[in-house]
Amino acid sequence: MSVFASPRFLPNVMWADAASCAATGALQVAFTGALARLTGLPAPLLLGTGVFLLAYAAAAAFMASRRTPPRTLIGLVVVGNFGWALGCIALLMSGMFAVTALGMAWVLAQALCVVVLAELQWTGLRRTRGGTNMAIA
């Protein structure tokens, strides 16, 4: 059986999304000042997005834990993840902040991570289209 065909594929991707957002959000909240100095990103932006990521991580974990993954919500997550990546690129291209090399790496790593997760989520949604039973054994 292909890993993509597994009934656990989509929930596992959502768990990965939840974990990555929880880790990033926790770092941004716990070390706002230090990250602001190291990245050149404004502390309020880091703190605000960190809090958002923690709340999102809880929502993603909720979706991952459902017996039947909520397809509509996960579809919104796919759109949101692609939007987050576009926002990251726009932030860097805007030149609004004196972002350091580490700041560019921090933002680009987030963009890359969410694009990969969005693609995996989209793949999982496509593989489960048509009412395929997604019950978790």
Side-chain angles (χ1 to χ4, degrees):
M1 172 188 287
S2 164
V3 68
F4 297 111
S6 166
R8 293 290 312 147
F9 178 75
L10 194 51
N12 286 341
V13 173
M14 291 307 297
W15 280 120
D17 199 355
S20 69
C21 288
T24 303
L27 284 171
Q28 288 186 195
V29 169
F31 302 105
T32 302
L35 279 173
R37 286 187 299 281
L38 291 170
T39 63
L41 296 166
L45 176 66
L46 289 166
L47 181 60
T49 55
V51 169
F52 171 82
L53 287 169
L54 290 172
Y56 170 77
F62 172 80
M63 288 180 244
S65 70
R66 300 299 88 199
R67 182 166 176 81
T68 302
R71 294 177 52 78
T72 301
L73 288 177
I74 295 173
L76 291 173
V77 164
V78 171
V79 172
N81 277 340
F82 281 125
W84 187 275
L86 288 173
C88 287
I89 301 305
L91 172 80
L92 293 177
M93 292 181 64
S94 75
M96 290 176 59
F97 308 112
V99 180
T100 66
L102 182 61
M104 290 186 80
W106 183 260
V107 174
L108 289 173
Q110 287 188 37
L112 178 62
C113 182
V114 298
V115 164
V116 168
L117 287 165
E119 182 58 34
L120 290 171
Q121 289 156 344
W122 181 245
T123 298
L125 287 173
R126 283 193 331 260
R127 296 284 180 163
T128 61
R129 187 179 315 150
T132 302
N133 183 3
M134 285 293 299
I136 299 167

